[in-house]
Amino acid sequence: MTKKATYEELEGCVKESAAQLTKANEQLRLEIIKRKQAEAALIKSEQKYRHIFETTGTAMAVIEEDTKISLINSEFEKLSGYSANEVEGRKSFTEFVTKNDLAKMKKYHFQRRINPDEALKMYEFGFIDRHGNLKYINLTVDMIPETKQSIASLSDITEFKNVENELQDTLKDLRRALRGTIQAIVLTIETRDPYTAGHQRRVADLARAIAKEMGFSRSKIAGIRIAGALHDIGKIAIPAEILTKPGQLSKAEFELIKKHPQTSYNILKPIKFPWPVAQIVLQHHERMDGSGYPQGLSGEEIILEARILGVADVVEAMASHRPYRPAIGIDKALEEISINRGKLYDIKVVDACLKVFKENGFKFKI
């Protein structure tokens, strides 16, 4: 091999190495560009995320698996009374939760990392700020994808809760006032008609038991009970000597008695009950075959609550003493509604009433 050939080979190797080095440098340059672009995109994404995190309008916090808080926004600072430097990496989310809600919060926090579908993503809890003030919080929380972190949004609903609590207290006061007013009315009626003392209360108790057996809601049961307690309020317009007459009533006297449902309706109609109390009272002497009073309604024309009250009224009246006759007894009263089941009285109401006495052990309170 000549020196010239050796030189040419060496020169070729150098050129090839230079080309490979140039190619490697170009790949490195492209990789650096890509990395810088990725870093720029990440920075931009982080800036965007941070902007959203800061301007969302609610307190936000990123919570680690061990419940440590790794990031908060300015709204969380306002809510808690702590600065970010005092919270991030230093405090656990559990430190802000009331004792009553702590077990619940921990349960959902760890459940969220095991089976996210079973953990609530929204619930209320009590929040304690830096100064020991209790705040009511609506929490929305979920996992950050592909991490063990969760992100929480905290909405302060303290003012709403305080108003709600005030309304609940007001509602309780109104209910107490309503019960007191009803009791006063009942006592007024019973003062004029001592022979039926307790009648309205006992009818109300039985009507409530029947309605409960028939699956009525608590609200509807409350309405039926109030109607039962007031169903004879119209008797206040009937002369006491007729109400307490020991003998058989004349036709004219009975016609006067038959007006009490209408009078009761006229008295109760202006009162804005959340239930059709006046209509129930008006119809409680109507019968399924149209033989009742004051309107001669039949079947579905009579609202179900009135059909319930009618059966309760008949049973109590027959089971109790009256000035014109001794008590007939509960057995005879149940026999009466059984015989006229489907004729005078609603079938389902009669069945429920029989079950209340025979299976549930209902008894009238003296």
Side-chain angles (χ1 to χ4, degrees):
M1 182 180 294
T2 63
K3 288 183 178 180
K4 184 177 181 180
T6 301
Y7 176 77
E8 288 175 351
E9 288 177 1
L10 182 60
E11 187 177 21
C13 287
V14 171
K15 287 180 178 180
E16 184 178 352
S17 296
Q20 290 176 347
L21 182 59
T22 300
K23 185 178 180 180
N25 285 336
E26 180 62 19
Q27 290 177 338
L28 180 60
R29 187 181 70 82
L30 292 173
E31 186 64 32
I32 291 172
I33 291 173
K34 288 181 180 179
R35 187 173 298 176
K36 286 183 177 180
Q37 289 175 338
E39 288 175 352
L42 181 61
I43 291 171
K44 187 175 181 180
S45 177
E46 288 178 347
Q47 289 175 339
K48 183 179 179 181
Y49 169 75
R50 187 72 203 193
H51 177 72
I52 295 171
F53 193 72
E54 281 294 342
T55 60
T56 186
T58 59
M60 302 284 290
V62 174
I63 307 169
E64 301 296 323
E65 187 173 13
D66 62 357
T67 75
K68 271 286 194 312
I69 298 174
S70 57
L71 186 66
I72 64 170
N73 66 358
S74 57
E75 290 296 325
F76 192 96
E77 289 179 306
K78 293 177 186 176
L79 180 70
S80 66
Y82 291 94
S83 69
N85 290 335
E86 292 175 302
V87 174
E88 293 174 354
R90 295 175 181 272
K91 288 190 174 294
S92 293
F93 193 73
T94 53
E95 295 178 49
F96 296 98
V97 182
T98 58
K99 290 181 180 180
N100 290 341
D101 295 319
L102 189 57
K104 174 178 69 176
M105 191 285 298
K106 286 183 176 180
K107 174 187 174 182
Y108 296 148
H109 178 81
F110 294 110
Q111 193 177 56
R112 194 170 291 112
R113 283 148 182 79
I114 299 170
N115 192 342
D117 293 335
E118 291 186 5
L120 286 182
K121 294 183 179 181
M122 183 181 292
Y123 59 93
E124 295 178 8
F125 76 98
F127 182 97
I128 303 297
D129 69 10
R130 180 175 201 143
H131 307 292
N133 298 318
L134 170 64
K135 298 178 180 179
Y136 295 101
I137 300 297
N138 186 57
L139 178 70
T140 303
V141 59
D142 204 355
M143 298 297 296
I144 298 176
E146 300 179 6
T147 73
K148 290 292 185 178
Q149 299 172 312
S150 52
I151 184 165
S153 172
L154 298 85
S155 299
D156 188 350
I157 57 171
T158 305
E159 186 174 348
F160 168 79
K161 276 290 188 181
N162 288 337
V163 171
E164 184 181 54
N165 290 337
E166 288 176 8
L167 288 173
Q168 288 295 331
D169 290 340
T170 301
L171 182 60
K172 289 178 183 177
D173 290 340
L174 288 173
R175 283 173 176 166
R176 282 193 290 267
L178 177 61
R179 286 196 295 268
T181 302
I182 291 171
Q183 184 63 24
I185 294 171
V186 170
L187 288 173
T188 301
I189 299 167
E190 291 181 351
T191 299
R192 298 186 73 251
D193 184 11
Y195 290 101
T196 58
H199 165 71
Q200 293 188 116
R201 174 180 53 78
R202 290 192 292 271
V203 169
D205 289 343
L206 177 55
R208 178 177 59 176
I210 295 171
K212 184 178 180 180
E213 178 61 35
M214 293 179 69
F216 276 54
S217 67
R218 289 180 64 183
S219 177
K220 281 193 172 185
I221 291 171
I224 290 172
R225 186 175 182 225
I226 288 174
L230 296 172
H231 74 278
D232 278 343
I233 189 174
K235 287 184 178 179
I236 200 167
I238 300 173
E241 56 269 23
I242 294 177
L243 294 175
T244 58
K245 184 177 179 180
Q248 191 72 30
L249 294 175
S250 69
K251 184 177 180 181
E253 290 169 336
F254 185 61
E255 287 300 318
L256 188 59
I257 289 284
K258 286 168 65 175
K259 291 181 179 180
H260 82 271
Q262 184 65 54
T263 305
S264 298
Y265 175 80
N266 294 340
I267 293 171
L268 297 172
K269 185 181 178 181
I271 304 174
K272 302 299 181 183
F273 289 106
W275 317 278
V277 171
Q279 191 177 9
I280 297 171
V281 169
L282 176 65
Q283 297 180 3
H284 79 279
H285 277 293
E286 303 288 356
R287 296 295 177 253
M288 298 300 287
D289 63 356
S291 63
Y293 60 87
Q295 297 172 302
L297 302 178
S298 62
E300 296 298 319
E301 292 178 321
I302 310 166
I303 62 173
L304 183 55
E305 293 93 331
R307 287 177 249 163
I308 291 172
L309 186 58
V311 167
D313 187 41
V314 166
V315 171
E316 198 288 329
M318 291 184 68
S320 302
H321 173 77
R322 288 293 182 270
Y324 50 85
R325 60 149 175 84
I328 298 172
I330 191 65
D331 291 336
K332 285 292 183 180
L334 297 181
E335 182 181 341
E336 155 65 18
I337 63 171
S338 298
I339 292 171
N340 289 293
R341 174 181 177 272
K343 181 184 178 183
L344 301 181
Y345 315 112
D346 182 277
I347 292 173
K348 291 182 179 179
V349 175
V350 170
D351 291 344
C353 184
L354 294 174
K355 187 174 180 181
V356 161
F357 278 98
K358 296 181 178 181
E359 296 184 25
N360 302 349
F362 180 88
K363 291 182 179 180
F364 286 118
K365 296 177 182 178
I366 304 300

